[in-house]
Amino acid sequence: MRLLIGVLASLALVACRTPAPEVDYQGPVAEWPSYGGGPQSNRYSPLNQITVDNVDHLQVAWTHHSGDISDGSGEWSLSSFQATPIVVEDTLYYCSPFGKVFALDPISGTERWRFDPEVRNKKSGFYPAVCRGVAYWQAEKPQGKLCDSRILYGTRDAELIALDARTGALCPGFGNGGKVALREGVGEHQIREYYPTSPPAIIGDIAVIGAFVPDNERNDVPGGVVRAFDTVTGELRWAWDPVPEDYLERHASDASRYSRGSPNVWAPMSVDAARGLVFVPTGNPSPDIYAGDRDGLDYYGSSVVALDAATGKVNWHFQTVHHDVWDYDVASQPVLFEIPGVGGGRPGIIQPTKVGHVFLLDRETGEPLYPVEERPVPQGGVPGEKLSPTQPFPTHPAPLHTPAKLSADDMDGLVFFDRLACQREFAKYRNDGVFTPPSFEGSVLYPATTGGINWGSVSVDPEAGLMFVNQMHWASVVTLIPRAEFDSEPRPPGYPLEYFQMTGSPYGGMRTALVSPLGAPCVPRPWGSLLAVDLKSGEIVWKRPLGTTRDLAPWPFWLETGVPNTGGSLATAGGVLFIGAAAEKAFRAFDTRSGEELWHVRLPYTAQSTPMTYRLGADQKQYVVIAAGGHGWSEPGDALMAFALPD
């Protein structure tokens, strides 16, 4: 009966729906030339053809399938389609999880060319295969020659590749036949232990790139060196080894060219071309959850670092987490802003973190634009650990991930007995609030390593002075195990979420999710959220759950609880905020001023990606595009989908 009522109600809404208004062609046009959308990397578009009044009439304009899908069986890793396309010079470009690149007609979705790197690194253990995007470069004075304009990106085989943007052909004068090997100098390693997952940052005629390394496997994984290569020749221009000079002096005998186990840079970077700066978000040294042996290796860990684009020298750096033993690496792309009334109108950087902290920094000096307080945090780590007594907390805006400390009364679940089970489980572990250190008995980590705010970063409407943030609200339990015990005991039953060798350290470790018997998070709802922050006042304007349990639980447990989410949002001048991200097969639009949901559409797969938009001519429509291809918690797929208003 409930299902019948729901169907009849839906039919009534369709019948009463107002006719689609005429498309307004008077507004601006704009491309999407880089991963973050433009020079500020703020995931904002000046396009306003799609508005709060007509967004509910959006329709699928075209869909492109790459065919690059894997369920993780056999020789291939699980695939996760996390790409954000770029649109430049009347062509849309994107990459698939295993590194194929596609050029499409942005109006019809028709394929113009494709490139297959035929990667050898097909299997990468726990981590799904991802390629978050490609970058575009054009010669200052194009002459109509091959590779005057180029697509550059990194592959799972740790190669930086340059393709002719018009044909997809490898650029013959770049490196070795269009490819530059990135494994040189990072030390011996397995092929699955080092490769880029985010697009290179282009500034002038250089491409700056970092790489992924696995967490908590061993303390001598490849180094986190950041390198700049000539976009024409592929020649190495500079390399930044993310360790301080005194560390290099103490470890001069290391056979690797670059320091092993140092903080790596796997997230997207940003650039300020006018100031000649590259803004680099760093991870933490390996292993992530024990730091007693780092010897200063984490000086640049969990930081945002401003590098001189010409030399690679450090201009300034700001550390978001001191001596990180929680895997709170900086996963979010830095966002540039210059807004009257925010930080005195000075050029700034927004750096979101997994902790749910958002730091507003002076772009030229790295100094906080508003007070940052060093507050005491829990102590008493395992033997050999040297915890930081304080951690930095922003005050404008205040920490966005709440509550700061969980209690038994906070425990949740889908139903009453679920909540009681969560309370019993919660009572087993150490819980001193945010920054509780890993322990032998198991410590509650809230937010979990996933965040808070992850690689989707934030979007910013510079005209309204609003920042839009999606967060995950999830807790895990982190346990350290003495080496002798870890090596002698079999893996615990129930297959922990993550079981870490941490070779070279005195401990092994594991992370498990704090969930109920029915699989629901034990933490307070919403389990995923979307909110808007006024950057001038630092106050939250609105906050709401992001996502329902429709694809996570059987009917009738389809509840608007908010759900785990990975990916980012897109803000537009039309007053519309677009986001997928949630562990639900849905793409949504919200009113940027009120947070009201204006539109949503079912997708063939979940969309763990960040949408983008473009309008390429005065007589053309505005398109919004999102990659729907699943993640570790959902079915893998390959649907790149474009939406536009009807004629």
mmCIF file of all heavy atoms in Angstrom, residues 247-277:
data_model
loop_
_atom_site.group_PDB
_atom_site.id
_atom_site.type_symbol
_atom_site.label_atom_id
_atom_site.label_comp_id
_atom_site.label_asym_id
_atom_site.label_seq_id
_atom_site.Cartn_x
_atom_site.Cartn_y
_atom_site.Cartn_z
ATOM 1 N N TYR A 247 67.338 16.986 8.416
ATOM 2 C CA TYR A 247 67.042 15.561 8.206
ATOM 3 C C TYR A 247 67.933 15.000 7.101
ATOM 4 O O TYR A 247 68.474 13.893 7.224
ATOM 5 C CB TYR A 247 65.570 15.370 7.846
ATOM 6 C CG TYR A 247 65.204 13.914 7.610
ATOM 7 C CD1 TYR A 247 64.792 13.113 8.667
ATOM 8 C CD2 TYR A 247 65.288 13.347 6.339
ATOM 9 C CE1 TYR A 247 64.470 11.774 8.463
ATOM 10 C CE2 TYR A 247 64.976 12.012 6.127
ATOM 11 C CZ TYR A 247 64.565 11.234 7.193
ATOM 12 O OH TYR A 247 64.266 9.898 6.988
ATOM 13 N N LEU A 248 68.095 15.759 6.023
ATOM 14 C CA LEU A 248 68.960 15.312 4.934
ATOM 15 C C LEU A 248 70.398 15.118 5.408
ATOM 16 O O LEU A 248 71.083 14.169 5.004
ATOM 17 C CB LEU A 248 68.917 16.323 3.789
ATOM 18 C CG LEU A 248 67.595 16.432 3.016
ATOM 19 C CD1 LEU A 248 67.657 17.567 2.012
ATOM 20 C CD2 LEU A 248 67.286 15.120 2.311
ATOM 21 N N GLU A 249 70.862 15.987 6.276
ATOM 22 C CA GLU A 249 72.223 15.852 6.801
ATOM 23 C C GLU A 249 72.376 14.597 7.643
ATOM 24 O O GLU A 249 73.400 13.912 7.566
ATOM 25 C CB GLU A 249 72.568 17.091 7.637
ATOM 26 C CG GLU A 249 72.678 18.375 6.814
ATOM 27 C CD GLU A 249 72.798 19.606 7.687
ATOM 28 O OE1 GLU A 249 72.818 19.450 8.936
ATOM 29 O OE2 GLU A 249 72.855 20.725 7.131
ATOM 30 N N ARG A 250 71.369 14.267 8.431
ATOM 31 C CA ARG A 250 71.447 13.076 9.284
ATOM 32 C C ARG A 250 71.301 11.788 8.495
ATOM 33 O O ARG A 250 71.715 10.723 8.955
ATOM 34 C CB ARG A 250 70.367 13.131 10.372
ATOM 35 C CG ARG A 250 70.589 14.193 11.423
ATOM 36 C CD ARG A 250 69.670 13.987 12.621
ATOM 37 N NE ARG A 250 68.267 14.039 12.281
ATOM 38 C CZ ARG A 250 67.553 15.163 12.224
ATOM 39 N NH1 ARG A 250 68.144 16.339 12.459
ATOM 40 N NH2 ARG A 250 66.269 15.135 11.921
ATOM 41 N N HIS A 251 70.687 11.869 7.304
ATOM 42 C CA HIS A 251 70.411 10.651 6.533
ATOM 43 C C HIS A 251 71.051 10.734 5.148
ATOM 44 O O HIS A 251 70.489 10.227 4.167
ATOM 45 C CB HIS A 251 68.905 10.448 6.416
ATOM 46 C CG HIS A 251 68.227 10.250 7.731
ATOM 47 N ND1 HIS A 251 68.034 9.010 8.298
ATOM 48 C CD2 HIS A 251 67.723 11.152 8.628
ATOM 49 C CE1 HIS A 251 67.424 9.150 9.473
ATOM 50 N NE2 HIS A 251 67.233 10.434 9.692
ATOM 51 N N ALA A 252 72.227 11.309 5.087
ATOM 52 C CA ALA A 252 72.913 11.512 3.799
ATOM 53 C C ALA A 252 73.318 10.203 3.143
ATOM 54 O O ALA A 252 73.554 10.155 1.932
ATOM 55 C CB ALA A 252 74.131 12.405 4.003
ATOM 56 N N SER A 253 73.395 9.113 3.907
ATOM 57 C CA SER A 253 73.859 7.842 3.346
ATOM 58 C C SER A 253 72.764 7.064 2.632
ATOM 59 O O SER A 253 73.021 6.010 2.051
ATOM 60 C CB SER A 253 74.435 6.963 4.468
ATOM 61 O OG SER A 253 73.446 6.707 5.449
ATOM 62 N N ASP A 254 71.523 7.554 2.667
ATOM 63 C CA ASP A 254 70.424 6.869 1.998
ATOM 64 C C ASP A 254 70.732 6.759 0.511
ATOM 65 O O ASP A 254 71.070 7.751 -0.152
ATOM 66 C CB ASP A 254 69.123 7.650 2.212
ATOM 67 C CG ASP A 254 67.887 6.850 1.787
ATOM 68 O OD1 ASP A 254 67.962 6.142 0.774
ATOM 69 O OD2 ASP A 254 66.868 6.950 2.476
ATOM 70 N N ALA A 255 70.590 5.531 -0.025
ATOM 71 C CA ALA A 255 70.957 5.297 -1.423
ATOM 72 C C ALA A 255 69.974 5.923 -2.402
ATOM 73 O O ALA A 255 70.315 6.141 -3.569
ATOM 74 C CB ALA A 255 71.048 3.794 -1.677
ATOM 75 N N SER A 256 68.745 6.232 -1.985
ATOM 76 C CA SER A 256 67.768 6.836 -2.876
ATOM 77 C C SER A 256 68.100 8.306 -3.105
ATOM 78 O O SER A 256 68.637 8.984 -2.229
ATOM 79 C CB SER A 256 66.362 6.718 -2.276
ATOM 80 O OG SER A 256 66.038 5.373 -2.023
ATOM 81 N N ARG A 257 67.769 8.796 -4.280
ATOM 82 C CA ARG A 257 67.984 10.212 -4.562
ATOM 83 C C ARG A 257 67.081 11.071 -3.690
ATOM 84 O O ARG A 257 67.482 12.131 -3.222
ATOM 85 C CB ARG A 257 67.707 10.507 -6.032
ATOM 86 C CG ARG A 257 67.941 11.972 -6.402
ATOM 87 C CD ARG A 257 67.501 12.298 -7.822
ATOM 88 N NE ARG A 257 68.152 11.449 -8.806
ATOM 89 C CZ ARG A 257 67.887 11.491 -10.106
ATOM 90 N NH1 ARG A 257 66.969 12.341 -10.556
ATOM 91 N NH2 ARG A 257 68.492 10.688 -10.946
ATOM 92 N N TYR A 258 65.847 10.595 -3.480
ATOM 93 C CA TYR A 258 64.888 11.330 -2.673
ATOM 94 C C TYR A 258 64.575 10.529 -1.408
ATOM 95 O O TYR A 258 64.567 9.296 -1.422
ATOM 96 C CB TYR A 258 63.612 11.586 -3.467
ATOM 97 C CG TYR A 258 63.868 12.204 -4.824
ATOM 98 C CD1 TYR A 258 63.555 11.522 -5.998
ATOM 99 C CD2 TYR A 258 64.459 13.466 -4.928
ATOM 100 C CE1 TYR A 258 63.796 12.090 -7.240
ATOM 101 C CE2 TYR A 258 64.706 14.033 -6.170
ATOM 102 C CZ TYR A 258 64.382 13.340 -7.326
ATOM 103 O OH TYR A 258 64.636 13.897 -8.552
ATOM 104 N N SER A 259 64.299 11.234 -0.322
ATOM 105 C CA SER A 259 64.098 10.594 0.977
ATOM 106 C C SER A 259 62.930 9.612 0.928
ATOM 107 O O SER A 259 61.841 9.937 0.446
ATOM 108 C CB SER A 259 63.836 11.657 2.041
ATOM 109 O OG SER A 259 64.889 12.587 2.094
ATOM 110 N N ARG A 260 63.144 8.427 1.472
ATOM 111 C CA ARG A 260 62.106 7.402 1.481
ATOM 112 C C ARG A 260 61.151 7.627 2.650
ATOM 113 O O ARG A 260 61.538 8.117 3.704
ATOM 114 C CB ARG A 260 62.742 6.020 1.562
ATOM 115 C CG ARG A 260 63.633 5.691 0.380
ATOM 116 C CD ARG A 260 64.182 4.290 0.497
ATOM 117 N NE ARG A 260 63.128 3.295 0.301
ATOM 118 C CZ ARG A 260 63.047 2.489 -0.756
ATOM 119 N NH1 ARG A 260 63.957 2.578 -1.716
ATOM 120 N NH2 ARG A 260 62.090 1.606 -0.852
ATOM 121 N N GLY A 261 59.898 7.265 2.444
ATOM 122 C CA GLY A 261 58.908 7.360 3.499
ATOM 123 C C GLY A 261 58.479 8.767 3.850
ATOM 124 O O GLY A 261 57.768 8.973 4.836
ATOM 125 N N SER A 262 58.900 9.750 3.068
ATOM 126 C CA SER A 262 58.581 11.150 3.377
ATOM 127 C C SER A 262 57.135 11.461 3.007
ATOM 128 O O SER A 262 56.475 10.694 2.296
ATOM 129 C CB SER A 262 59.529 12.083 2.616
ATOM 130 O OG SER A 262 59.427 11.858 1.220
ATOM 131 N N PRO A 263 56.584 12.594 3.484
ATOM 132 C CA PRO A 263 55.193 12.944 3.154
ATOM 133 C C PRO A 263 54.996 13.024 1.641
ATOM 134 O O PRO A 263 55.752 13.699 0.948
ATOM 135 C CB PRO A 263 55.009 14.316 3.810
ATOM 136 C CG PRO A 263 56.027 14.365 4.895
ATOM 137 C CD PRO A 263 57.200 13.597 4.376
ATOM 138 N N ASN A 264 53.986 12.339 1.151
ATOM 139 C CA ASN A 264 53.733 12.368 -0.286
ATOM 140 C C ASN A 264 52.599 13.327 -0.607
ATOM 141 O O ASN A 264 51.892 13.811 0.276
ATOM 142 C CB ASN A 264 53.405 10.969 -0.807
ATOM 143 C CG ASN A 264 52.081 10.449 -0.276
ATOM 144 O OD1 ASN A 264 51.849 10.468 0.924
ATOM 145 N ND2 ASN A 264 51.212 9.985 -1.157
ATOM 146 N N VAL A 265 52.425 13.608 -1.894
ATOM 147 C CA VAL A 265 51.390 14.538 -2.359
ATOM 148 C C VAL A 265 50.550 13.802 -3.395
ATOM 149 O O VAL A 265 50.924 13.693 -4.557
ATOM 150 C CB VAL A 265 52.020 15.809 -2.959
ATOM 151 C CG1 VAL A 265 50.928 16.751 -3.461
ATOM 152 C CG2 VAL A 265 52.898 16.500 -1.938
ATOM 153 N N TRP A 266 49.414 13.266 -2.927
ATOM 154 C CA TRP A 266 48.540 12.524 -3.838
ATOM 155 C C TRP A 266 47.313 13.340 -4.249
ATOM 156 O O TRP A 266 46.657 13.020 -5.229
ATOM 157 C CB TRP A 266 48.079 11.215 -3.191
ATOM 158 C CG TRP A 266 47.322 11.355 -1.904
ATOM 159 C CD1 TRP A 266 47.832 11.357 -0.650
ATOM 160 C CD2 TRP A 266 45.902 11.497 -1.757
ATOM 161 N NE1 TRP A 266 46.822 11.495 0.279
ATOM 162 C CE2 TRP A 266 45.632 11.579 -0.369
ATOM 163 C CE3 TRP A 266 44.836 11.561 -2.655
ATOM 164 C CZ2 TRP A 266 44.343 11.722 0.145
ATOM 165 C CZ3 TRP A 266 43.547 11.718 -2.154
ATOM 166 C CH2 TRP A 266 43.315 11.781 -0.765
ATOM 167 N N ALA A 267 47.012 14.386 -3.507
ATOM 168 C CA ALA A 267 45.828 15.199 -3.793
ATOM 169 C C ALA A 267 46.142 16.256 -4.860
ATOM 170 O O ALA A 267 47.312 16.563 -5.121
ATOM 171 C CB ALA A 267 45.350 15.871 -2.507
ATOM 172 N N PRO A 268 45.130 16.854 -5.468
ATOM 173 C CA PRO A 268 45.357 17.910 -6.470
ATOM 174 C C PRO A 268 46.019 19.142 -5.862
ATOM 175 O O PRO A 268 45.713 19.547 -4.737
ATOM 176 C CB PRO A 268 43.944 18.241 -6.965
ATOM 177 C CG PRO A 268 43.122 17.036 -6.638
ATOM 178 C CD PRO A 268 43.697 16.494 -5.368
ATOM 179 N N MET A 269 46.935 19.742 -6.613
ATOM 180 C CA MET A 269 47.587 20.990 -6.218
ATOM 181 C C MET A 269 46.884 22.173 -6.880
ATOM 182 O O MET A 269 46.061 21.999 -7.777
ATOM 183 C CB MET A 269 49.058 20.967 -6.643
ATOM 184 C CG MET A 269 49.868 19.830 -6.064
ATOM 185 S SD MET A 269 51.561 19.818 -6.717
ATOM 186 C CE MET A 269 51.674 18.156 -7.341
ATOM 187 N N SER A 270 47.258 23.390 -6.429
ATOM 188 C CA SER A 270 46.745 24.625 -7.027
ATOM 189 C C SER A 270 47.916 25.542 -7.353
ATOM 190 O O SER A 270 49.014 25.359 -6.831
ATOM 191 C CB SER A 270 45.787 25.339 -6.061
ATOM 192 O OG SER A 270 44.709 24.509 -5.709
ATOM 193 N N VAL A 271 47.665 26.537 -8.209
ATOM 194 C CA VAL A 271 48.736 27.454 -8.599
ATOM 195 C C VAL A 271 48.234 28.897 -8.563
ATOM 196 O O VAL A 271 47.040 29.167 -8.700
ATOM 197 C CB VAL A 271 49.281 27.132 -10.013
ATOM 198 C CG1 VAL A 271 49.789 25.709 -10.097
ATOM 199 C CG2 VAL A 271 48.230 27.387 -11.088
ATOM 200 N N ASP A 272 49.186 29.799 -8.346
ATOM 201 C CA ASP A 272 48.954 31.238 -8.486
ATOM 202 C C ASP A 272 49.970 31.724 -9.509
ATOM 203 O O ASP A 272 51.135 31.978 -9.184
ATOM 204 C CB ASP A 272 49.145 31.937 -7.142
ATOM 205 C CG ASP A 272 48.844 33.436 -7.199
ATOM 206 O OD1 ASP A 272 48.917 34.013 -8.306
ATOM 207 O OD2 ASP A 272 48.560 34.029 -6.147
ATOM 208 N N ALA A 273 49.530 31.824 -10.762
ATOM 209 C CA ALA A 273 50.451 32.172 -11.839
ATOM 210 C C ALA A 273 51.042 33.565 -11.655
ATOM 211 O O ALA A 273 52.219 33.799 -11.943
ATOM 212 C CB ALA A 273 49.744 32.060 -13.188
ATOM 213 N N ALA A 274 50.248 34.513 -11.170
ATOM 214 C CA ALA A 274 50.727 35.883 -11.016
ATOM 215 C C ALA A 274 51.855 35.970 -9.998
ATOM 216 O O ALA A 274 52.793 36.760 -10.161
ATOM 217 C CB ALA A 274 49.570 36.795 -10.601
ATOM 218 N N ARG A 275 51.790 35.176 -8.958
ATOM 219 C CA ARG A 275 52.824 35.191 -7.919
ATOM 220 C C ARG A 275 53.862 34.094 -8.100
ATOM 221 O O ARG A 275 54.801 33.982 -7.320
ATOM 222 C CB ARG A 275 52.165 35.076 -6.538
ATOM 223 C CG ARG A 275 51.353 36.309 -6.170
ATOM 224 C CD ARG A 275 50.540 36.095 -4.902
ATOM 225 N NE ARG A 275 49.866 37.340 -4.510
ATOM 226 C CZ ARG A 275 48.748 37.778 -5.057
ATOM 227 N NH1 ARG A 275 48.151 37.070 -6.011
ATOM 228 N NH2 ARG A 275 48.210 38.923 -4.668
ATOM 229 N N GLY A 276 53.663 33.246 -9.108
ATOM 230 C CA GLY A 276 54.630 32.187 -9.373
ATOM 231 C C GLY A 276 54.708 31.167 -8.257
ATOM 232 O O GLY A 276 55.790 30.698 -7.900
ATOM 233 N N LEU A 277 53.553 30.776 -7.701
ATOM 234 C CA LEU A 277 53.518 29.847 -6.576
ATOM 235 C C LEU A 277 52.711 28.600 -6.920
ATOM 236 O O LEU A 277 51.710 28.659 -7.642
ATOM 237 C CB LEU A 277 52.900 30.516 -5.345
ATOM 238 C CG LEU A 277 53.666 31.703 -4.740
ATOM 239 C CD1 LEU A 277 52.858 32.323 -3.609
ATOM 240 C CD2 LEU A 277 55.046 31.260 -4.255
#
